[in-house]
Amino acid sequence: MTPTALDAATRPDTAPATRGLTRRTLAVFARNKLALTGALVLLALCAFCFLGPLVHPTDQIHTDLAQAGRAPGAGHPLGTTDLGYDQLGRLMYGGRTSLEVGLAAGLLATLFGTVYGAVAGYFGGWADAVMMRVTDAALAIPALFLLVVVAAIVTPGKPLLILIIASVAWLSPARLVRGEALALRSRDYIHAMRLMGGGGGRAVFRHILPNALGTVIVNATFQVADAILYVAYLSFLGLSLPPPAADWGSLLSAGITYTQVGHWWLVFPPGLAIVLTVAAFHCVGDGLRDAFDVRLKKHRRGLPEGRTRVSPKH
């Protein structure tokens, strides 16, 4: 039997029900005001960081000590840094780095952890035991400690920083998806696929992972938020990208030095940006979790959207 015929035989025709469930999922998400607010905040922050420099262009490469430490005013809405950089432009420039590294590291960690957990959960036995003991051993070491050690050994560029953060962030999605795979591998359509000659790879990538997609998407939002925090942690400790590169954590670390002289504009804007971004991702994640929870309950009942189960008459 060809792979296409095998998939068709083991996958029921649920396109109308799937479209109905998708509409229901979006409707549940739209009713969550915090989730919508978080999504709007994220869109605003992305526009601020990536489109803002087109509206407010600044030089973030060359220092200008004659302009150092200026308070907010004409020409510099958020003042200047200790090296003469425009703080508003620096906030946009640093935010671009934080979002790029956070998104890439979070998604990479989710991707690797998802495949790792799905393989461990589906095959089970000694493979699951070995793979999960590796995960448990890594989880026993504090992630921040590992990040500090690795970042202190090498001077990370942006790609290396993404890999460093992803290398400690994949553990949580791996355990989560492994639990989903353990539950899904006993379903009837998996047994049917095996009887028709389907292998483990087809089971993982064509059946296990698509059915765990809701869990993966929700977890990805939390992983991105955690990755942005990891970037801020390393930068605050002076272990992030070398100058003239910047991110919100390094701006916050540099600004704390000048709090006693009243330079509040060096501390509050980057700190507020970090808090808003992480809180927004968590709000979106909570909204997606509620939405996919409704979708999952409908899927488990096996009912198309708009139908209800009718009790037989006695």
Side-chain angles (χ1 to χ4, degrees), residues 161-235:
L161 184 62
I162 291 171
L163 290 176
I164 290 173
I165 294 174
S167 67
V168 300
W170 66 271
L171 303 170
S172 176
R175 290 179 63 87
L176 189 64
V177 175
R178 181 250 184 183
E180 290 283 323
L182 286 173
L184 291 171
R185 70 175 184 173
S186 60
R187 297 293 179 88
D188 291 339
Y189 57 83
I190 297 294
H191 293 310
M193 182 273 303
R194 289 174 178 171
L195 292 174
M196 293 178 183
R202 179 167 298 277
V204 169
F205 291 101
R206 291 293 186 92
H207 297 284
I208 300 292
L209 291 182
N211 282 282
L213 187 60
T215 301
V216 172
I217 292 175
V218 172
N219 184 256
T221 60
F222 298 124
Q223 289 301 316
V224 172
D226 290 344
I228 291 174
L229 281 178
Y230 284 141
V231 175
Y233 294 156
L234 291 176
S235 300

Side-chain angles (χ1 to χ4, degrees), residues 55-135:
V55 180
H56 182 71
T58 58
D59 183 1
Q60 297 296 324
I61 303 297
H62 305 94
T63 60
D64 186 2
L65 297 180
Q67 299 291 328
R70 288 182 175 271
H76 301 289
L78 285 180
T80 61
T81 69
D82 57 314
L83 295 177
Y85 294 119
D86 179 82
Q87 178 69 349
L88 180 59
R90 200 71 174 163
L91 202 63
M92 298 173 184
Y93 184 65
R96 185 182 300 178
T97 300
S98 292
L99 290 174
E100 287 177 350
V101 174
L103 283 168
L107 295 178
L108 180 61
T110 301
L111 177 63
F112 180 77
T114 296
V115 176
Y116 188 95
V119 170
Y122 173 75
F123 288 99
W126 65 267
D128 178 47
V130 171
M131 294 173 75
M132 285 299 103
R133 295 301 75 76
V134 171
T135 304

Side-chain angles (χ1 to χ4, degrees), residues 68-71 80-82 255 258-268:
R70 288 182 175 271
T80 61
T81 69
D82 57 314
Y258 297 91
T259 54
Q260 294 184 351
V261 295
H263 291 184
W264 58 266
W265 59 90
L266 300 180
V267 178
F268 287 108

